[in-house]
Amino acid sequence: AQSVTQLDSQVPVFEEAPVELRCNYSSSVSVYLFWYVQYPNQGLQLLLKYLSGSTLVKGINGFEAEFNKSQTSFHLRKPSVHISDTAEYFCAVSDPGTGTASKLTFGTGTRLQVTL
Amino acid sequence: DAGVTQSPTHLIKTRGQQVTLRCSPKSGHDTVSWYQQALGQGPQFIFQYYEEEERQRGNFPDRFSGHQFPNYSSELNVNALLLGDSALYLCASSLSDTQYFGPGTRLTVL
């Protein structure tokens, strides 16, 4: 069975500072990895994904993540955050096997709080 | 291009009642997945429909059932509602490897 651990439930950061949101996963097979963002009272928006190839993945809104197979990690980073980045961030893993999107297993989320 | 749409936006029911939630996938997507997100938690996979059949199922009781129509839209039905069924219900559609989510339906059970 797959699982995802998001080590920080909340991350406070000042505007224009860099941020890293940590994600570790557990799986006995190869994986696809995703980061989604959820703004208050909204659904999930895809930030970025790792399927294969380059381990450094760039996403929307200036976010990037690095897949580290040996560490089983997929940490999300942004060099300079903005107030509008305040939201809940979810890391998720799925099984690549079937040719269509398999079920996603999510972490418990990290609340990014950006202040002036 | 319209994204994933869900209806209704909000719903209030009482214990023991039944509810139906609806989802229209993104244009061209043939697979629909449903997730339950309790307050302060990550989404939990309920089930997935492809070609009008339930393809995968998570650890949810039989009170949760679904359907997919020939136009790929989908319904989630929950019978005998419990207080613990109060949550945001998210629908996601996909064509290949990535799921795209709708805005969700907020279900409150009193």
Side-chain angles (χ1 to χ4, degrees), chain A residues 46-80:
Chain A
L46 179 69
L47 272 179
L48 48 77
K49 61 184 178 182
Y50 171 79
L51 306 180
S52 65
S54 173
T55 57
L56 183 62
V57 179
K58 293 191 182 297
I60 62 171
N61 301 340
F63 284 93
E64 63 180 33
E66 186 157 19
F67 170 57
N68 187 320
K69 188 173 182 179
S70 62
Q71 304 271 341
T72 61
S73 68
F74 190 55
H75 300 333
L76 181 70
R77 301 185 183 100
K78 186 171 183 178
S80 176

Side-chain angles (χ1 to χ4, degrees), chain B residues 16-95:
Chain B
Q17 285 190 310
Q18 178 264 345
V19 68
T20 297
L21 311 182
R22 295 176 176 83
C23 172
S24 291
K26 200 171 163 63
S27 178
H29 286 189
D30 59 4
T31 303
V32 172
S33 303
W34 287 91
Y35 293 81
Q36 180 195 65
Q37 185 180 19
L39 202 59
Q41 301 295 317
Q44 299 288 319
F45 175 75
I46 303 174
F47 43 54
Q48 183 181 83
Y49 278 84
Y50 172 69
E51 291 189 342
E52 302 180 51
E53 296 285 334
E54 185 182 287
R55 183 169 165 269
Q56 284 185 292
R57 189 177 181 92
N59 189 25
F60 278 80
D62 292 346
R63 299 186 297 109
F64 289 78
S65 64
H67 188 76
Q68 186 179 34
F69 298 94
N71 66 353
Y72 305 126
S73 67
S74 177
E75 289 182 349
L76 164 65
N77 301 291
V78 187
N79 294 322
L81 284 167
L82 304 174
L83 295 179
D85 295 331
S86 294
L88 180 67
Y89 288 85
L90 295 163
C91 168
S93 74
S94 55
L95 179 60

Side-chain angles (χ1 to χ4, degrees), chain A residues 36 38 49 98 101-102 104, chain B residues 35 37 48 55 96 98-99:
Chain A
Y36 287 86
Q38 186 174 37
K49 61 184 178 182
T98 60
S102 184
L104 290 165
Chain B
Y35 293 81
Q37 185 180 19
Q48 183 181 83
R55 183 169 165 269
S96 58
T98 303
Q99 296 185 32

